Amino acid sequence: MAQQSTALDALVEALRLLPGVGVKSAQRMAFHLLQHDRAGAMKLSQALDTAVHAMHHCQRCHTFTEQAVCGICADEARDHRQLCVVETPADQSALERTGSYHGLYYVLMGRISPLDGVGPDDLGAVSLMERAVDGRVEEVILATSFTAEGEATSHVLAEGLRARGLHVTRLARGVPAGSELEYVDLSTIAHALVDRR
Amino acid sequence: MAQQSTALDALVEALRLLPGVGVKSAQRMAFHLLQHDRAGAMKLSQALDTAVHAMHHCQRCHTFTEQAVCGICADEARDHRQLCVVETPADQSALERTGSYHGLYYVLMGRISPLDGVGPDDLGAVSLMERAVDGRVEEVILATSFTAEGEATSHVLAEGLRARGLHVTRLARGVPAGSELEYVDLSTIAHALVDRR
């Protein structure tokens, strides 16, 4: 936008830093905020500033928290014998919403991805190993994604954890609830057949 | 994200104010910024703050500018006899990039949209009429979108402008450059036939 002024250009450039936002979307967002929602723009500006300064990683589970240790890790009512390894805080949130898990978590904040140059060390695998051998954890549940990268992450972590004498399990693969068999992919059906109970 | 802390929740909520961003996208954006691009988050925070405080409407053409009158309106080298009416700064920018228009602009910052409760007055039609009768403007080129709402906007504005004795034109409709006739919609072909030259 050659004829636009600098502050608008800078805003469009900054909005493009968001994942999945190209130049057209960024222009649309900037226009919307300036024309229709300046209060919202200020709210977003302050929320970004606050979050960047307030949020850091939990010392124990590595998720985002404002405290030194997050609410879940600090909760003695939870089962400290189970440790569930997830990729992101969103995955952790999904598990929490099921209401069927009462143990603790370890959030990797990513997954092994050789193409992006992310190896086990970048994921804090060492820190997970230290966390898992605290003497209270008995079972580590690997809940990384069922993608090639998630499976690789799970595989690498399982080896390290088993070598430290921990009981390691993986989320079950199978047919999703509410689905018709006809429309489920063959790999899923094959896994569901193997893991039948 | 029940177990997440307040600053992260607030950031996700604020990101949802952006057009086209739902809760999943907002979570992904917040996670990306906090985990991978904290410098970018601060940059965005500052760009929003700066833009909200610096950007306002040009007194003459109503586009966003940091000055009282924008660079185009203040440029005496441009043809002050032509006034091109567009919906948004992005449309203005597209026209500028063609390099084939050297007149001035008036930016509506929207279009007539009865469903959204946007009428001619909300678009500053009165302000356009005042702008157009400055004694220098001879031709008003209506370059609103060729959608139902853009056409309605164009129609309403044309009536008011013609009543003030101005020469009003509309961007030509026709077959887009580089397209094969077979794949052009019938309405466009019909218009191209009527407007043949």
Side-chain angles (χ1 to χ4, degrees):
Chain A
M1 298 172 83
Q3 298 298 323
Q4 299 301 328
S5 59
T6 347
L8 188 57
D9 280 343
L11 178 56
V12 170
E13 275 305 301
L15 284 165
R16 289 187 61 190
L17 296 172
L18 295 171
V21 176
V23 66
K24 289 272 176 198
S25 303
Q27 283 177 358
R28 198 160 56 94
M29 287 172 172
F31 174 70
H32 172 82
L33 290 176
L34 289 175
Q35 182 65 10
H36 301 292
D37 197 3
R38 288 187 175 228
M42 286 314 296
K43 198 173 151 190
L44 179 54
S45 170
Q46 277 146 24
L48 282 162
D49 189 79
T50 307
V52 165
H53 289 105
M55 305 301 295
H56 48 81
H57 294 294
C58 169
Q59 286 172 5
R60 303 194 72 205
C61 76
H62 208 236
T63 195
F64 290 124
T65 178
E66 288 172 75
Q67 291 88 41
V69 173
C70 75
I72 294 179
C73 287
D75 184 356
E76 279 298 323
R78 295 189 73 109
D79 188 346
H80 282 240
R81 292 168 302 176
Q82 290 186 321
L83 187 70
C84 181
V85 179
V86 294
E87 290 177 5
T88 65
D91 293 344
Q92 179 186 13
S93 166
L95 274 160
E96 276 299 289
R97 283 199 304 272
T98 68
S100 54
Y101 179 69
H102 307 289
L104 301 181
Y105 293 92
Y106 187 87
V107 185
L108 294 170
M109 294 289 174
R111 61 184 93 171
I112 291 174
S113 172
L115 289 178
D116 301 323
V118 180
D121 295 345
D122 303 299
L123 283 182
V126 177
S127 147
L128 166 61
M129 299 305 157
E130 285 168 5
R131 166 73 188 84
V133 293
D134 69 346
R136 296 180 74 181
V137 172
E138 291 171 11
E139 178 187 1
V140 178
I141 303 164
L142 296 171
T144 55
S145 303
F146 286 87
T147 58
E149 292 174 343
E151 294 281 17
T153 307
S154 165
H155 185 75
V156 169
L157 296 178
E159 284 195 335
L161 291 163
R162 286 207 182 94
R164 281 162 181 80
L166 290 153
H167 180 49
V168 179
T169 56
R170 179 93 168 102
L171 281 195
R173 272 177 294 211
V175 181
S179 58
E180 294 184 54
L181 217 58
E182 183 182 356
Y183 300 107
V184 173
D185 69 291
L186 298 184
S187 158
T188 299
I189 295 179
H191 278 299
L193 204 57
V194 170
D195 293 347
R196 69 185 182 279
R197 39 172 286 176
Chain B
M1 296 170 83
Q3 298 299 324
Q4 301 299 328
S5 57
T6 347
L8 188 56
D9 280 343
L11 178 56
V12 170
E13 275 305 302
L15 284 165
R16 289 186 62 189
L17 296 172
L18 295 170
V21 175
V23 64
K24 290 272 176 199
S25 303
Q27 283 177 357
R28 197 161 56 94
M29 287 172 172
F31 174 71
H32 172 82
L33 289 175
L34 288 174
Q35 181 65 11
H36 301 292
D37 196 4
R38 287 186 177 230
M42 287 313 296
K43 198 173 150 190
L44 178 54
S45 170
Q46 278 146 24
L48 283 162
D49 189 79
T50 307
V52 166
H53 288 104
M55 305 302 294
H56 48 82
H57 294 293
C58 169
Q59 288 171 2
R60 304 195 71 207
C61 76
H62 208 236
T63 195
F64 289 125
T65 177
E66 287 172 76
Q67 290 88 42
V69 173
C70 75
I72 294 179
C73 285
D75 185 355
E76 280 298 323
R78 296 188 74 109
D79 189 345
H80 283 239
R81 291 168 303 176
Q82 290 186 319
L83 187 69
C84 182
V85 178
V86 293
E87 290 177 5
T88 65
D91 293 344
Q92 179 185 12
S93 166
L95 272 160
E96 275 300 288
R97 284 199 304 272
T98 68
S100 55
Y101 179 69
H102 307 290
L104 301 183
Y105 293 92
Y106 187 88
V107 185
L108 294 170
M109 295 288 174
R111 63 184 94 171
I112 292 174
S113 173
L115 289 178
D116 301 324
V118 180
D121 295 344
D122 304 300
L123 283 181
V126 177
S127 148
L128 165 61
M129 298 306 156
E130 285 169 6
R131 166 72 188 87
V133 293
D134 69 346
R136 296 179 75 180
V137 173
E138 292 169 10
E139 178 186 1
V140 179
I141 304 165
L142 296 172
T144 55
S145 303
F146 286 88
T147 58
E149 292 173 342
E151 294 281 15
T153 308
S154 164
H155 185 74
V156 169
L157 295 178
E159 284 195 335
L161 291 162
R162 285 206 182 96
R164 282 163 181 79
L166 290 153
H167 180 49
V168 179
T169 56
R170 180 92 169 102
L171 282 194
R173 273 177 294 212
V175 181
S179 58
E180 293 183 57
L181 217 57
E182 183 183 356
Y183 300 106
V184 174
D185 69 291
L186 298 184
S187 159
T188 300
I189 295 180
H191 278 301
L193 204 56
V194 170
D195 293 347
R196 69 186 180 276
R197 39 172 285 175

